[in-house]
Amino acid sequence: MPKKKSAKKDSKRTIPSVSSSTQSNNSASANAPKKNEDIIGNNWKTKIVKKSVVRELNEALLYESSNEKRNELLAQMESLDGTNIDETGATLGELMPVTYETRPMINFTDKVRYMLTVGKTAPFHIDKRYHDVPLFMMKNAGYDNVDMENAKRWTGKLATLHLLLPHLSMGYEESAVFLGECYLDKDDTVKFAHHFAKASSSFDWPDSFACHQCPFCCRMALPVMDKTSVTSIAEGSYILIVQKIMQTMYTPGPDGKQMMQRVHRSLPRLCCRSCFEKNFVQEVDKGEEFCYPGILKHDINLFTATDSVLLKGLVKIKRSCQDDVNNDQMILSAFSMFQLYDKCGMCSAVDEAIYVKTRQESQLMGLSVENLAVK
């Protein structure tokens, strides 16, 4: 399970017309900012958050959220809402516009595109699962020392909440994970850009602005402007989920048979709270984690109560400026919540569940499969 391997170019299929406002795919204009990779430069290697980069990247994010292409995309999402719905009540996935998807995601299979959007109306249920200790990951199959230490923290005693959203999971029900409510810090914009820098992976993945795009309505998440303002904190707060995005490659195996390589990556997605609540099919009788806002009490913060090491380095602020604020009124930054997902071992446990299912499917197809977990 090597971590670095050159991705093959796939020229067999043509990417559908792009309706998004992704600056990386647009021709430069006088008012357009630089590409994200040009703004961060080599800072992704050192992870140093420079004030000048914070300012420039957040200006680029603001441009991305309101330029002409974005407005066209939002209008397209509005026009698609409620049309050509499937049995779940959601707009058909094949009608979703291409936004930050890369060519290998578009060419996931001959008939299926791996998409980042589900539509403004996309009802989903919450599924509560207890994942086993990631034994395969414990064998050090491609994971570095830090990954191994994270995997070892997973006990399997706490539940993982999954969003049963077929358009996001592509048949892998474990692929969409609920993390909780968070606020977006200006520094998070840079930290996500470092983590998802194009140069940091040998595979072709979306850049960090995909994290900011709501999978339902395609609006861009913007950071809190005033951390002392209750209103500003509320406006800059979102529901964070993780989507396991995938791409497929086929290469000759050692025995001459074709080997399928299913490459996946954890992509945090900042959802509008209103979009999340609107599409959440609530089941009150099953418990408070199956309804809103009860589910917010069952976020990934529960893991910090079992391991004090997980608290180190996490950034959080008070929801209110009152002095008597308790822990329930503290809110984690988006990147901190994503870090917690990795550090507590949940990421490894979900990787393991997807790997097992992929291996079973590949055996039925007569293919050899190699699981590549790309950070």
mmCIF file with all atom_site columns, all heavy atoms in Angstrom, residues 87-105:
data_model
loop_
_atom_site.group_PDB
_atom_site.id
_atom_site.type_symbol
_atom_site.label_atom_id
_atom_site.label_alt_id
_atom_site.label_comp_id
_atom_site.label_asym_id
_atom_site.label_entity_id
_atom_site.label_seq_id
_atom_site.pdbx_PDB_ins_code
_atom_site.Cartn_x
_atom_site.Cartn_y
_atom_site.Cartn_z
_atom_site.occupancy
_atom_site.B_iso_or_equiv
_atom_site.pdbx_formal_charge
_atom_site.auth_seq_id
_atom_site.auth_comp_id
_atom_site.auth_asym_id
_atom_site.auth_atom_id
_atom_site.pdbx_PDB_model_num
ATOM 1   N N   . GLU A 1 87  ? -35.312 8.014  -6.578  1.00 0.00 ? 87  GLU A N   1
ATOM 2   C CA  . GLU A 1 87  ? -36.192 7.409  -5.572  1.00 0.00 ? 87  GLU A CA  1
ATOM 3   C C   . GLU A 1 87  ? -35.976 7.970  -4.172  1.00 0.00 ? 87  GLU A C   1
ATOM 4   O O   . GLU A 1 87  ? -36.832 7.833  -3.301  1.00 0.00 ? 87  GLU A O   1
ATOM 5   C CB  . GLU A 1 87  ? -36.006 5.883  -5.555  1.00 0.00 ? 87  GLU A CB  1
ATOM 6   C CG  . GLU A 1 87  ? -34.635 5.394  -5.109  1.00 0.00 ? 87  GLU A CG  1
ATOM 7   C CD  . GLU A 1 87  ? -33.607 5.415  -6.233  1.00 0.00 ? 87  GLU A CD  1
ATOM 8   O OE1 . GLU A 1 87  ? -33.965 5.860  -7.355  1.00 0.00 ? 87  GLU A OE1 1
ATOM 9   O OE2 . GLU A 1 87  ? -32.470 4.988  -5.988  1.00 0.00 ? 87  GLU A OE2 1
ATOM 10  N N   . THR A 1 88  ? -34.826 8.623  -3.938  1.00 0.00 ? 88  THR A N   1
ATOM 11  C CA  . THR A 1 88  ? -34.563 9.209  -2.622  1.00 0.00 ? 88  THR A CA  1
ATOM 12  C C   . THR A 1 88  ? -35.120 10.625 -2.496  1.00 0.00 ? 88  THR A C   1
ATOM 13  O O   . THR A 1 88  ? -35.094 11.202 -1.412  1.00 0.00 ? 88  THR A O   1
ATOM 14  C CB  . THR A 1 88  ? -33.046 9.257  -2.337  1.00 0.00 ? 88  THR A CB  1
ATOM 15  O OG1 . THR A 1 88  ? -32.431 10.230 -3.200  1.00 0.00 ? 88  THR A OG1 1
ATOM 16  C CG2 . THR A 1 88  ? -32.400 7.900  -2.569  1.00 0.00 ? 88  THR A CG2 1
ATOM 17  N N   . GLY A 1 89  ? -35.586 11.181 -3.605  1.00 0.00 ? 89  GLY A N   1
ATOM 18  C CA  . GLY A 1 89  ? -36.076 12.557 -3.586  1.00 0.00 ? 89  GLY A CA  1
ATOM 19  C C   . GLY A 1 89  ? -35.029 13.571 -3.973  1.00 0.00 ? 89  GLY A C   1
ATOM 20  O O   . GLY A 1 89  ? -35.264 14.782 -3.923  1.00 0.00 ? 89  GLY A O   1
ATOM 21  N N   . ALA A 1 90  ? -33.839 13.095 -4.366  1.00 0.00 ? 90  ALA A N   1
ATOM 22  C CA  . ALA A 1 90  ? -32.745 13.984 -4.748  1.00 0.00 ? 90  ALA A CA  1
ATOM 23  C C   . ALA A 1 90  ? -32.652 14.114 -6.264  1.00 0.00 ? 90  ALA A C   1
ATOM 24  O O   . ALA A 1 90  ? -33.076 13.226 -7.006  1.00 0.00 ? 90  ALA A O   1
ATOM 25  C CB  . ALA A 1 90  ? -31.426 13.455 -4.202  1.00 0.00 ? 90  ALA A CB  1
ATOM 26  N N   . THR A 1 91  ? -32.097 15.230 -6.706  1.00 0.00 ? 91  THR A N   1
ATOM 27  C CA  . THR A 1 91  ? -31.858 15.416 -8.135  1.00 0.00 ? 91  THR A CA  1
ATOM 28  C C   . THR A 1 91  ? -30.844 14.383 -8.608  1.00 0.00 ? 91  THR A C   1
ATOM 29  O O   . THR A 1 91  ? -29.884 14.068 -7.902  1.00 0.00 ? 91  THR A O   1
ATOM 30  C CB  . THR A 1 91  ? -31.308 16.833 -8.408  1.00 0.00 ? 91  THR A CB  1
ATOM 31  O OG1 . THR A 1 91  ? -32.243 17.785 -7.899  1.00 0.00 ? 91  THR A OG1 1
ATOM 32  C CG2 . THR A 1 91  ? -31.115 17.062 -9.900  1.00 0.00 ? 91  THR A CG2 1
ATOM 33  N N   . LEU A 1 92  ? -31.057 13.836 -9.802  1.00 0.00 ? 92  LEU A N   1
ATOM 34  C CA  . LEU A 1 92  ? -30.176 12.802 -10.329 1.00 0.00 ? 92  LEU A CA  1
ATOM 35  C C   . LEU A 1 92  ? -28.725 13.268 -10.321 1.00 0.00 ? 92  LEU A C   1
ATOM 36  O O   . LEU A 1 92  ? -28.414 14.385 -10.735 1.00 0.00 ? 92  LEU A O   1
ATOM 37  C CB  . LEU A 1 92  ? -30.599 12.435 -11.756 1.00 0.00 ? 92  LEU A CB  1
ATOM 38  C CG  . LEU A 1 92  ? -31.975 11.774 -11.898 1.00 0.00 ? 92  LEU A CG  1
ATOM 39  C CD1 . LEU A 1 92  ? -32.299 11.540 -13.367 1.00 0.00 ? 92  LEU A CD1 1
ATOM 40  C CD2 . LEU A 1 92  ? -32.038 10.468 -11.130 1.00 0.00 ? 92  LEU A CD2 1
ATOM 41  N N   . GLY A 1 93  ? -27.836 12.385 -9.845  1.00 0.00 ? 93  GLY A N   1
ATOM 42  C CA  . GLY A 1 93  ? -26.432 12.737 -9.709  1.00 0.00 ? 93  GLY A CA  1
ATOM 43  C C   . GLY A 1 93  ? -25.764 13.117 -11.014 1.00 0.00 ? 93  GLY A C   1
ATOM 44  O O   . GLY A 1 93  ? -24.886 13.982 -11.046 1.00 0.00 ? 93  GLY A O   1
ATOM 45  N N   . GLU A 1 94  ? -26.191 12.480 -12.124 1.00 0.00 ? 94  GLU A N   1
ATOM 46  C CA  . GLU A 1 94  ? -25.541 12.779 -13.408 1.00 0.00 ? 94  GLU A CA  1
ATOM 47  C C   . GLU A 1 94  ? -25.832 14.186 -13.920 1.00 0.00 ? 94  GLU A C   1
ATOM 48  O O   . GLU A 1 94  ? -25.185 14.666 -14.839 1.00 0.00 ? 94  GLU A O   1
ATOM 49  C CB  . GLU A 1 94  ? -25.946 11.751 -14.470 1.00 0.00 ? 94  GLU A CB  1
ATOM 50  C CG  . GLU A 1 94  ? -27.441 11.617 -14.688 1.00 0.00 ? 94  GLU A CG  1
ATOM 51  C CD  . GLU A 1 94  ? -28.025 10.457 -13.907 1.00 0.00 ? 94  GLU A CD  1
ATOM 52  O OE1 . GLU A 1 94  ? -27.536 10.164 -12.815 1.00 0.00 ? 94  GLU A OE1 1
ATOM 53  O OE2 . GLU A 1 94  ? -28.989 9.851  -14.415 1.00 0.00 ? 94  GLU A OE2 1
ATOM 54  N N   . LEU A 1 95  ? -26.806 14.858 -13.274 1.00 0.00 ? 95  LEU A N   1
ATOM 55  C CA  . LEU A 1 95  ? -27.125 16.237 -13.680 1.00 0.00 ? 95  LEU A CA  1
ATOM 56  C C   . LEU A 1 95  ? -26.286 17.272 -12.937 1.00 0.00 ? 95  LEU A C   1
ATOM 57  O O   . LEU A 1 95  ? -26.288 18.445 -13.302 1.00 0.00 ? 95  LEU A O   1
ATOM 58  C CB  . LEU A 1 95  ? -28.611 16.524 -13.433 1.00 0.00 ? 95  LEU A CB  1
ATOM 59  C CG  . LEU A 1 95  ? -29.614 15.697 -14.237 1.00 0.00 ? 95  LEU A CG  1
ATOM 60  C CD1 . LEU A 1 95  ? -31.032 16.090 -13.868 1.00 0.00 ? 95  LEU A CD1 1
ATOM 61  C CD2 . LEU A 1 95  ? -29.387 15.865 -15.728 1.00 0.00 ? 95  LEU A CD2 1
ATOM 62  N N   . MET A 1 96  ? -25.576 16.835 -11.911 1.00 0.00 ? 96  MET A N   1
ATOM 63  C CA  . MET A 1 96  ? -24.785 17.771 -11.120 1.00 0.00 ? 96  MET A CA  1
ATOM 64  C C   . MET A 1 96  ? -23.643 18.367 -11.950 1.00 0.00 ? 96  MET A C   1
ATOM 65  O O   . MET A 1 96  ? -22.972 17.652 -12.692 1.00 0.00 ? 96  MET A O   1
ATOM 66  C CB  . MET A 1 96  ? -24.207 17.070 -9.890  1.00 0.00 ? 96  MET A CB  1
ATOM 67  C CG  . MET A 1 96  ? -25.236 16.676 -8.833  1.00 0.00 ? 96  MET A CG  1
ATOM 68  S SD  . MET A 1 96  ? -26.063 18.098 -8.089  1.00 0.00 ? 96  MET A SD  1
ATOM 69  C CE  . MET A 1 96  ? -27.673 18.032 -8.913  1.00 0.00 ? 96  MET A CE  1
ATOM 70  N N   . PRO A 1 97  ? -23.418 19.667 -11.829 1.00 0.00 ? 97  PRO A N   1
ATOM 71  C CA  . PRO A 1 97  ? -22.339 20.306 -12.588 1.00 0.00 ? 97  PRO A CA  1
ATOM 72  C C   . PRO A 1 97  ? -20.961 19.937 -12.043 1.00 0.00 ? 97  PRO A C   1
ATOM 73  O O   . PRO A 1 97  ? -20.811 19.633 -10.861 1.00 0.00 ? 97  PRO A O   1
ATOM 74  C CB  . PRO A 1 97  ? -22.615 21.800 -12.396 1.00 0.00 ? 97  PRO A CB  1
ATOM 75  C CG  . PRO A 1 97  ? -23.325 21.874 -11.081 1.00 0.00 ? 97  PRO A CG  1
ATOM 76  C CD  . PRO A 1 97  ? -24.180 20.637 -11.018 1.00 0.00 ? 97  PRO A CD  1
ATOM 77  N N   . VAL A 1 98  ? -19.980 19.949 -12.906 1.00 0.00 ? 98  VAL A N   1
ATOM 78  C CA  . VAL A 1 98  ? -18.600 19.729 -12.490 1.00 0.00 ? 98  VAL A CA  1
ATOM 79  C C   . VAL A 1 98  ? -18.087 21.001 -11.818 1.00 0.00 ? 98  VAL A C   1
ATOM 80  O O   . VAL A 1 98  ? -18.254 22.104 -12.349 1.00 0.00 ? 98  VAL A O   1
ATOM 81  C CB  . VAL A 1 98  ? -17.707 19.374 -13.693 1.00 0.00 ? 98  VAL A CB  1
ATOM 82  C CG1 . VAL A 1 98  ? -16.255 19.257 -13.267 1.00 0.00 ? 98  VAL A CG1 1
ATOM 83  C CG2 . VAL A 1 98  ? -18.180 18.078 -14.330 1.00 0.00 ? 98  VAL A CG2 1
ATOM 84  N N   . THR A 1 99  ? -17.474 20.850 -10.654 1.00 0.00 ? 99  THR A N   1
ATOM 85  C CA  . THR A 1 99  ? -16.941 22.016 -9.940  1.00 0.00 ? 99  THR A CA  1
ATOM 86  C C   . THR A 1 99  ? -15.429 21.845 -9.762  1.00 0.00 ? 99  THR A C   1
ATOM 87  O O   . THR A 1 99  ? -14.656 22.237 -10.608 1.00 0.00 ? 99  THR A O   1
ATOM 88  C CB  . THR A 1 99  ? -17.660 22.209 -8.597  1.00 0.00 ? 99  THR A CB  1
ATOM 89  O OG1 . THR A 1 99  ? -17.557 21.017 -7.814  1.00 0.00 ? 99  THR A OG1 1
ATOM 90  C CG2 . THR A 1 99  ? -19.133 22.537 -8.817  1.00 0.00 ? 99  THR A CG2 1
ATOM 91  N N   . TYR A 1 100 ? -15.024 21.206 -8.674  1.00 0.00 ? 100 TYR A N   1
ATOM 92  C CA  . TYR A 1 100 ? -13.595 21.004 -8.428  1.00 0.00 ? 100 TYR A CA  1
ATOM 93  C C   . TYR A 1 100 ? -13.136 19.580 -8.724  1.00 0.00 ? 100 TYR A C   1
ATOM 94  O O   . TYR A 1 100 ? -12.014 19.208 -8.402  1.00 0.00 ? 100 TYR A O   1
ATOM 95  C CB  . TYR A 1 100 ? -13.272 21.343 -6.966  1.00 0.00 ? 100 TYR A CB  1
ATOM 96  C CG  . TYR A 1 100 ? -13.506 22.785 -6.612  1.00 0.00 ? 100 TYR A CG  1
ATOM 97  C CD1 . TYR A 1 100 ? -14.677 23.184 -5.967  1.00 0.00 ? 100 TYR A CD1 1
ATOM 98  C CD2 . TYR A 1 100 ? -12.573 23.765 -6.921  1.00 0.00 ? 100 TYR A CD2 1
ATOM 99  C CE1 . TYR A 1 100 ? -14.899 24.507 -5.637  1.00 0.00 ? 100 TYR A CE1 1
ATOM 100 C CE2 . TYR A 1 100 ? -12.778 25.093 -6.598  1.00 0.00 ? 100 TYR A CE2 1
ATOM 101 C CZ  . TYR A 1 100 ? -13.950 25.458 -5.947  1.00 0.00 ? 100 TYR A CZ  1
ATOM 102 O OH  . TYR A 1 100 ? -14.163 26.772 -5.635  1.00 0.00 ? 100 TYR A OH  1
ATOM 103 N N   . GLU A 1 101 ? -14.000 18.774 -9.316  1.00 0.00 ? 101 GLU A N   1
ATOM 104 C CA  . GLU A 1 101 ? -13.643 17.394 -9.623  1.00 0.00 ? 101 GLU A CA  1
ATOM 105 C C   . GLU A 1 101 ? -12.463 17.360 -10.604 1.00 0.00 ? 101 GLU A C   1
ATOM 106 O O   . GLU A 1 101 ? -12.379 18.170 -11.525 1.00 0.00 ? 101 GLU A O   1
ATOM 107 C CB  . GLU A 1 101 ? -14.823 16.637 -10.228 1.00 0.00 ? 101 GLU A CB  1
ATOM 108 C CG  . GLU A 1 101 ? -15.989 16.416 -9.270  1.00 0.00 ? 101 GLU A CG  1
ATOM 109 C CD  . GLU A 1 101 ? -16.955 17.594 -9.196  1.00 0.00 ? 101 GLU A CD  1
ATOM 110 O OE1 . GLU A 1 101 ? -16.631 18.658 -9.775  1.00 0.00 ? 101 GLU A OE1 1
ATOM 111 O OE2 . GLU A 1 101 ? -18.020 17.457 -8.576  1.00 0.00 ? 101 GLU A OE2 1
ATOM 112 N N   . THR A 1 102 ? -11.554 16.403 -10.408 1.00 0.00 ? 102 THR A N   1
ATOM 113 C CA  . THR A 1 102 ? -10.432 16.234 -11.316 1.00 0.00 ? 102 THR A CA  1
ATOM 114 C C   . THR A 1 102 ? -10.762 15.145 -12.337 1.00 0.00 ? 102 THR A C   1
ATOM 115 O O   . THR A 1 102 ? -11.714 14.394 -12.173 1.00 0.00 ? 102 THR A O   1
ATOM 116 C CB  . THR A 1 102 ? -9.164  15.839 -10.541 1.00 0.00 ? 102 THR A CB  1
ATOM 117 O OG1 . THR A 1 102 ? -9.402  14.607 -9.849  1.00 0.00 ? 102 THR A OG1 1
ATOM 118 C CG2 . THR A 1 102 ? -8.787  16.928 -9.533  1.00 0.00 ? 102 THR A CG2 1
ATOM 119 N N   . ARG A 1 103 ? -9.949  15.054 -13.370 1.00 0.00 ? 103 ARG A N   1
ATOM 120 C CA  . ARG A 1 103 ? -10.220 14.076 -14.432 1.00 0.00 ? 103 ARG A CA  1
ATOM 121 C C   . ARG A 1 103 ? -10.311 12.643 -13.904 1.00 0.00 ? 103 ARG A C   1
ATOM 122 O O   . ARG A 1 103 ? -11.222 11.896 -14.286 1.00 0.00 ? 103 ARG A O   1
ATOM 123 C CB  . ARG A 1 103 ? -9.153  14.176 -15.529 1.00 0.00 ? 103 ARG A CB  1
ATOM 124 C CG  . ARG A 1 103 ? -9.414  13.251 -16.720 1.00 0.00 ? 103 ARG A CG  1
ATOM 125 C CD  . ARG A 1 103 ? -8.347  13.409 -17.775 1.00 0.00 ? 103 ARG A CD  1
ATOM 126 N NE  . ARG A 1 103 ? -8.391  14.710 -18.401 1.00 0.00 ? 103 ARG A NE  1
ATOM 127 C CZ  . ARG A 1 103 ? -9.180  15.038 -19.419 1.00 0.00 ? 103 ARG A CZ  1
ATOM 128 N NH1 . ARG A 1 103 ? -10.015 14.126 -19.901 1.00 0.00 ? 103 ARG A NH1 1
ATOM 129 N NH2 . ARG A 1 103 ? -9.141  16.240 -19.940 1.00 0.00 ? 103 ARG A NH2 1
ATOM 130 N N   . PRO A 1 104 ? -9.393  12.195 -13.024 1.00 0.00 ? 104 PRO A N   1
ATOM 131 C CA  . PRO A 1 104 ? -9.526  10.819 -12.523 1.00 0.00 ? 104 PRO A CA  1
ATOM 132 C C   . PRO A 1 104 ? -10.808 10.583 -11.735 1.00 0.00 ? 104 PRO A C   1
ATOM 133 O O   . PRO A 1 104 ? -11.309 9.456  -11.692 1.00 0.00 ? 104 PRO A O   1
ATOM 134 C CB  . PRO A 1 104 ? -8.287  10.662 -11.613 1.00 0.00 ? 104 PRO A CB  1
ATOM 135 C CG  . PRO A 1 104 ? -7.304  11.648 -12.146 1.00 0.00 ? 104 PRO A CG  1
ATOM 136 C CD  . PRO A 1 104 ? -8.125  12.817 -12.582 1.00 0.00 ? 104 PRO A CD  1
ATOM 137 N N   . MET A 1 105 ? -11.359 11.617 -11.103 1.00 0.00 ? 105 MET A N   1
ATOM 138 C CA  . MET A 1 105 ? -12.633 11.474 -10.399 1.00 0.00 ? 105 MET A CA  1
ATOM 139 C C   . MET A 1 105 ? -13.775 11.365 -11.404 1.00 0.00 ? 105 MET A C   1
ATOM 140 O O   . MET A 1 105 ? -14.698 10.572 -11.235 1.00 0.00 ? 105 MET A O   1
ATOM 141 C CB  . MET A 1 105 ? -12.856 12.651 -9.455  1.00 0.00 ? 105 MET A CB  1
ATOM 142 C CG  . MET A 1 105 ? -11.901 12.706 -8.278  1.00 0.00 ? 105 MET A CG  1
ATOM 143 S SD  . MET A 1 105 ? -12.071 14.231 -7.309  1.00 0.00 ? 105 MET A SD  1
ATOM 144 C CE  . MET A 1 105 ? -13.756 14.052 -6.696  1.00 0.00 ? 105 MET A CE  1
#
